[in-house]
Amino acid sequence: MADSAKRITVPALSTPLALTMGEPAGIGGEISLQAWLRRGEAGLSPFLLLDDPHRLQAIATQHGWAVPLQVVAEPEDAIAVFDHALPVLSVPLPAIPQPGIPDRLNAPAVLHAIELAVTLCRNGRAAALVTNPIHKAALYDAGFSHPGHTEFLAALCDVARPVMMLASDRLRVVPVTIHVALQRAIELLDTDLIVETARITAHDLREKFGIRQPRLAIAGLNPHAGESGSMGKEDAAIVAPAVARLRAEGIDARGPLPPDTMFHAEARASYDAAICMYHDQALIPIKTLDFDTGVNVTLGLPVIRTSPDHGTAFDIAGQGIAKPDSLIAALRMAAAMAAHRTHVSQR
């Protein structure tokens, strides 16, 4: 059966997804409008956009997109509105955004949209959080002091250890160390960090993805997972003890596995997530397999959070050519996770 002919099942959610505006000078507004236009063919559950309706109307008018907007006073109203209009919870911007040129005057509104969306999710008035990309440098003058979007969300949720997962229909990867130099990643890597990351991953695969017995593939650090120590001692000294501890706790974990043979089709079918030791070990395979539809998922939070796996794309902002595929994938994954969590809570 051709992909276009497949029947798409839309999760039945009682509350909408909360989608934040992201950086107003980036492509967030464009891809949000396009996602709504493709809501039917993409099988999207209702989402509520926290944004400035005036700037959204300007974008739609500029590109000739027939997107009727409806400002709603309450998040719950978005469910009834979504079929015929894009529901917007108004977050006014003090400065008119210029594509590709972030304005620090808009930074408080960007942060407010995120804070409000988190509050709606924690209060049960939104099913999940989906975030458009932000630009950290533009936010620092507004008091933003976090290394990134994920750390800001963790602080809002009072969580000490968020975990980043990149996910698609074909692969889920979790880097144990993330945005640090490779030498620093090796210095930071220890057995406790691997175990904690894998525990959080296994927990959220059960609770948010509906996988009752998650299977984790634990990558080695060195080529051929150290080749019995001839290519480095870390796999035997750090990674193998982590796998042993996880297995002792009842978690289905295998490894350390040679990283170069973990990501072909047959290998991927044997696990639900790959726990990788550093950033590129995780991101290269998933971006090779699913560059346009990969989704950034934050594990370890009390709320569900997904995001497109790309940045603000200032270089193409305002041109109407940005692809909404990753945002659509993020919206669909958030809805599926919310439905799974509701099912788990009702069991």
Side-chain angles (χ1 to χ4, degrees):
M1 181 183 295
D3 288 346
S4 61
K6 291 180 180 177
R7 182 185 180 90
I8 298 176
T9 302
V10 181
L13 303 177
S14 59
T15 53
L17 307 175
L19 174 61
T20 61
M21 71 169 76
E23 168 54 52
I27 61 172
E30 296 171 56
I31 60 176
S32 298
L33 292 169
Q34 291 185 75
W36 184 84
L37 284 171
R38 289 174 52 183
R39 65 199 181 283
E41 65 184 81
L44 295 183
S45 297
F47 61 84
L48 171 70
L49 182 54
L50 285 75
D51 207 322
D52 187 322
H54 298 291
R55 83 114 177 182
L56 293 172
Q57 186 60 66
I59 294 171
T61 300
Q62 176 188 353
H63 299 296
W65 295 337
V67 182
L69 305 174
Q70 184 162 331
V71 175
V72 296
E74 304 295 339
E76 296 79 3
D77 297 338
I79 300 291
V81 166
F82 189 74
D83 279 346
H84 62 269
L86 173 58
V88 180
L89 193 62
S90 182
V91 180
L93 292 167
I96 298 174
Q98 301 300 315
I101 307 173
D103 191 327
R104 65 181 183 179
L105 293 177
N106 287 331
V110 173
L111 295 177
H112 176 62
I114 298 169
E115 293 165 346
L116 179 55
V118 169
T119 298
L120 293 177
C121 290
R122 299 199 74 176
N123 290 345
R125 303 184 72 191
L129 169 67
V130 182
T131 59
N132 269 306
I134 60 172
H135 184 63
K136 291 179 291 184
L139 301 179
Y140 289 142
D141 287 342
F144 189 80
S145 59
H146 303 277
H149 210 155
T150 298
E151 291 82 3
F152 180 47
L153 293 170
L156 292 175
C157 295
D158 197 25
V159 168
R161 174 83 174 107
V163 169
M164 183 177 83
M165 170 187 282
L166 278 297
S168 72
D169 290 341
R170 293 190 283 182
L171 179 64
R172 301 183 190 94
V173 292
V174 175
V176 175
T177 62
I178 308 178
H179 295 122
V180 294
L182 184 56
Q183 181 174 340
R184 181 59 177 155
I186 296 170
E187 294 169 352
L188 290 172
L189 195 67
D190 63 26
T191 298
D192 288 343
L193 185 59
I194 297 169
V195 169
E196 184 180 15
T197 302
R199 280 180 186 150
I200 293 170
T201 303
H203 175 274
D204 277 18
L205 286 174
R206 286 191 299 269
E207 300 299 315
K208 296 177 181 177
F209 285 84
I211 302 172
R212 293 194 176 188
Q213 299 291 335
R215 302 164 299 165
L216 304 182
I218 314 296
L221 173 67
N222 296 299
H224 303 289
E227 192 81 41
S228 300
S230 64
M231 295 187 186
K233 309 295 184 183
E234 294 89 353
D235 293 290
I238 297 173
V239 185
V243 176
R245 281 173 54 183
L246 291 166
R247 292 183 66 84
E249 294 176 11
I251 294 174
D252 184 352
R254 295 184 293 120
L257 301 174
D260 62 332
T261 59
M262 283 180 57
F263 300 108
H264 62 83
E266 185 177 351
R268 296 197 310 271
S270 70
Y271 58 80
D272 299 300
I275 308 297
C276 302
M277 297 302 107
Y278 55 92
H279 181 276
D280 284 10
Q281 190 183 66
L283 271 65
I284 287 174
I286 193 165
K287 290 198 174 187
T288 300
L289 286 169
D290 292 293
F291 187 81
D292 289 326
T293 57
V295 176
N296 188 334
V297 184
T298 304
L299 308 179
L301 299 178
V303 301
I304 291 168
R305 183 263 179 143
T306 67
S307 178
D309 184 26
H310 59 66
T312 53
F314 287 146
D315 58 325
I316 61 170
Q319 300 177 39
I321 61 174
K323 294 181 179 180
D325 302 57
S326 187
L327 175 60
I328 288 171
L331 288 162
R332 291 183 60 184
M333 188 171 292
M337 292 169 68
H340 282 309
R341 188 169 66 172
T342 299
H343 176 69
V344 168
S345 67
Q346 293 175 347
R347 285 206 304 246

